[in-house]
Amino acid sequence: MQMNLAMLSEVFLKEWILNPTEGQRRAIDVFSQFLWEGRSKTAMILQGYAGTGKTTLLRTFSKWLPSVGFRVVFMAPTGRAAKVMLDSTGRRAYTAHRILYRSTLTPEGHFSFGLRTNPLTRAVFFIDESSMVSDRPSDGSQGRSLLEDILFFVHSGVDCRLVFLGDPAQLPPVGEGKSPALDADRLLKQHGWESVSVQLTEVVRQEKTSWVLRNATRLREALLAESIQFPGLSPKGEVHFLQDGYEVMEALEQSYSAGVDQTIVVTRSNKRAVLYNRQIRSRLLGAEELLGAGDRVMVVKNNYHWLPSDHPAGFLANGDIFEVMALSNQEDKYGLVFADARLRWTDREDDLLIEAKVLLTVLDSDSPALRVEESQALYQSLQAEYAHFPTQKERKEALRVDPYAQALQLKFAYAVTCHKAQGGQWETVFIEQAYEPEGLDNAAYLRWLYTALTRTTNKVYLVGFRPEDVLSE
């Protein structure tokens, strides 16, 4: 074993990683020991801030592992995060749901997730963007959390390993104070899993000239300070400040000329995202109809109806982004607006087009999805329509396959909240500093801004920030 560990470190340091940081050296040593010891119910937590070389390590580990008899599996919480993982490593990545679950129909006529058993032997599962992994029961999961299911699945294999990778400065899952998958105490006390941890903090040499990363580093250092205060940001290099609406629209127009899919606006609220989407569509894209071909839309509620059971994606997930290829049969029904749409995945280029009944009412609504009262009204209308069915079972089955009951809920995807953007990357990111009331939680705000800032691969525009937020260095 000692020879294997020494060989691993030598290969990494001499052949694959030039000028490693001290944090990367330690990560290699810890990973080597973790790999060869193979203790049951033990995970490795590899945390790294933006620009600290976490992806370089991931790419290197995946290249080396097959040569010593380990299979490599890349997973991420969302399809967009899996696409980023593929782009940065060159290796196919899957959504966690694609690996873990099969969709099953309950006797009551509802869909639920059937957890698979891990069929692999000597596989290392790398879960990227683990700050997004929730420990709260999810829709259709029969009371289990995604974190619980990941732990169970990996443990059910033979001699498998589990590595959580994430950035501790990013937003935790909605409703969580910390990211559960990156919390060693929580893994042990609530799930009975031990862990070994490494945290990368030193920005690698080739990234030190990036002003995005300099600003991101300033934010995460402020998060660690005894008294958390907004540290100010520097408008240099690829970071730009915009003060008025004309400047914003001009910059957006220039960015869209290089490709709509590589630009995103990040806001603090659904309401602000709706306002931006309206302005972008009317003033920049010339859209006049409620929804049309070429529009970019995001799924805002998990949907298990419109994909075949053997589709690789498993289901249409909250956060999936599509381009509308065609729209027809728009109609007002049950007090809502529906249409038939053909949709193209924007991050799954090889997939066939999806045909679905879509719900247009949500598109321009301030609420994140269909309002409770609207959902109840739709359900009651459909119940009345199937009231002549003799049994409750038949009525439930009719609702399960009814295209209006199962309509896909969409919102425009030109501007989104930060939680919706998390896990994705775009060449150009616009971040709006919205008005905040007194008593703002500084830590939560800094995590939000850090997460938004690190969504870019190239350029950031900071919109509407106060003069006192801008540093003159």
Side-chain angles (χ1 to χ4, degrees):
M1 179 184 296
Q2 293 302 319
M3 183 179 299
N4 285 331
L5 294 179
M7 178 187 69
L8 179 60
S9 295
E10 181 179 349
V11 168
F12 277 13
L13 297 179
K14 290 188 176 180
E15 295 186 22
W16 284 337
I17 300 182
L18 299 176
N19 302 314
T21 65
E22 287 303 312
Q24 287 176 317
R25 288 177 180 272
R26 172 165 166 69
I28 290 168
D29 291 339
V30 171
F31 180 74
S32 303
Q33 186 169 353
F34 164 75
L35 184 69
W36 296 114
E37 286 184 352
R39 289 180 288 158
S40 179
K41 288 193 173 183
T42 300
M44 180 174 174
I45 301 174
L46 177 55
Q47 301 185 77
Y49 298 116
T52 54
K54 185 169 78 285
T55 300
T56 299
L57 285 175
L58 177 62
R59 188 165 50 238
T60 303
F61 290 157
S62 68
K63 288 180 179 178
W64 183 81
L65 283 167
S67 68
V68 291
F70 281 93
R71 184 168 177 171
V72 176
V73 182
F74 280 179
M75 296 164 58
T78 67
R80 181 162 287 273
K83 177 64 162 53
V84 171
M85 206 175 185
L86 165 65
D87 292 342
S88 61
T89 65
R91 177 181 283 272
R92 177 76 182 272
Y94 302 87
T95 64
H97 286 83
R98 169 71 178 92
I99 297 292
L100 299 180
Y101 306 115
R102 62 171 62 89
S103 182
T104 59
L105 183 64
T106 68
E108 295 77 24
H110 301 295
F111 280 103
S112 67
F113 298 130
L115 184 60
R116 303 177 191 269
T117 299
N118 179 7
L120 301 182
T121 298
R122 284 177 65 84
V124 182
F125 291 83
F126 293 94
I127 317 295
D128 202 15
E129 296 290 353
S130 291
S131 61
M132 301 171 64
V133 173
S134 176
D135 200 18
R136 295 189 168 204
S138 56
D139 180 26
S141 65
Q142 300 179 345
R144 302 183 310 270
S145 71
L146 177 58
L147 177 58
E148 287 179 287
D149 286 347
I150 289 172
L151 296 173
F152 177 87
F153 178 85
V154 173
H155 183 63
S156 69
V158 179
D159 196 24
C160 291
R161 312 285 191 272
L162 174 61
V163 181
F164 289 114
L165 303 102
D167 187 333
Q170 285 194 26
L171 289 170
V174 175
E176 300 275 10
K178 294 180 66 176
S179 296
L182 303 180
D183 187 341
D185 288 340
R186 185 161 180 168
L187 288 176
L188 180 60
K189 292 176 182 177
Q190 295 195 20
H191 301 287
W193 275 63
E194 296 181 342
S195 57
V196 295
S197 299
V198 177
Q199 185 160 309
L200 307 176
T201 59
E202 181 184 349
V203 175
V204 296
R205 182 175 302 176
Q206 60 267 35
E207 300 286 4
K208 289 183 177 179
T209 59
S210 166
W211 279 95
V212 168
L213 288 177
R214 289 190 190 187
N215 281 296
T217 300
R218 183 177 286 122
L219 291 172
R220 55 102 163 166
E221 287 175 346
L223 269 171
L224 300 175
E226 185 173 339
S227 176
I228 300 176
Q229 301 294 329
F230 181 63
L233 298 174
S234 298
K236 290 191 175 183
E238 64 274 31
V239 180
H240 308 270
F241 281 71
L242 302 175
Q243 290 301 320
D244 60 52
Y246 175 78
E247 287 183 324
V248 174
M249 285 298 159
E250 187 176 46
L252 276 167
E253 185 174 20
Q254 182 178 5
S255 183
Y256 282 159
S257 67
V260 175
D261 291 334
Q262 285 303 315
T263 301
I264 197 74
V265 178
V266 180
T267 70
R268 288 280 279 169
S269 68
N270 282 296
K271 184 176 182 179
R272 295 298 299 174
V274 167
L275 292 174
Y276 267 96
N277 281 318
R278 288 175 185 166
Q279 291 295 311
I280 289 169
R281 293 187 72 245
S282 64
R283 294 178 59 182
L284 295 182
L285 304 179
E288 297 180 354
E289 65 275 27
L290 182 59
L291 181 69
D295 268 319
R296 269 56 173 182
V297 291
M298 175 180 285
V299 177
V300 294
K301 184 177 175 60
N302 290 345
N303 187 291
Y304 312 98
H305 180 74
W306 297 103
L307 289 186
S309 58
D310 60 348
H311 193 282
F315 64 101
L316 297 173
N318 185 353
D320 284 347
I321 297 179
F322 294 89
E323 178 185 359
V324 178
M325 305 304 292
L327 197 75
S328 60
N329 302 326
Q330 183 172 322
E331 59 179 329
D332 294 339
K333 194 167 186 175
Y334 309 122
L336 303 170
V337 183
F338 298 88
D340 295 325
R342 299 181 69 201
L343 306 170
R344 178 187 69 85
W345 300 85
T346 60
D347 56 3
R348 300 172 64 94
E349 292 87 351
D350 298 332
D351 267 337
L352 299 175
L353 297 181
I354 295 168
E355 297 189 0
K357 181 77 70 179
V358 297
L359 183 57
L360 305 187
T361 305
V362 182
L363 280 169
D364 206 36
S365 168
D366 290 346
S367 63
L370 196 65
R371 292 185 174 91
V372 173
E373 59 271 22
E374 292 172 323
S375 295
Q376 291 174 342
L378 173 61
Y379 180 76
Q380 291 168 0
S381 297
L382 289 167
Q383 283 276 57
E385 194 157 302
Y386 295 115
H388 64 283
F389 282 32
T391 67
Q392 184 180 24
K393 182 178 180 180
E394 288 176 298
R395 290 193 291 272
K396 285 186 174 180
E397 175 61 20
L399 283 172
R400 186 185 70 80
V401 298
D402 186 281
Y404 298 95
Q406 305 300 331
L408 192 60
Q409 296 190 32
L410 304 172
K411 293 189 84 69
F412 291 111
Y414 307 105
V416 300
T417 62
C418 196
H419 269 110
K420 294 292 188 185
Q422 193 169 1
Q425 288 188 331
W426 292 263
E427 288 184 9
T428 305
V429 176
F430 291 74
I431 305 171
E432 184 194 43
Q433 168 62 77
Y435 166 77
E436 296 293 347
E438 293 296 327
L440 171 69
D441 182 338
N442 284 328
Y445 173 67
L446 292 183
R447 287 188 186 279
W448 176 87
L449 184 53
Y450 174 93
T451 304
L453 193 66
T454 53
R455 296 311 89 211
T456 185
T457 60
N458 183 22
K459 185 183 298 183
V460 168
Y461 289 99
L462 299 169
V463 179
F465 281 68
R466 301 169 301 177
E468 56 266 35
D469 294 335
V470 182
L471 299 179
S472 59
E473 62 176 294

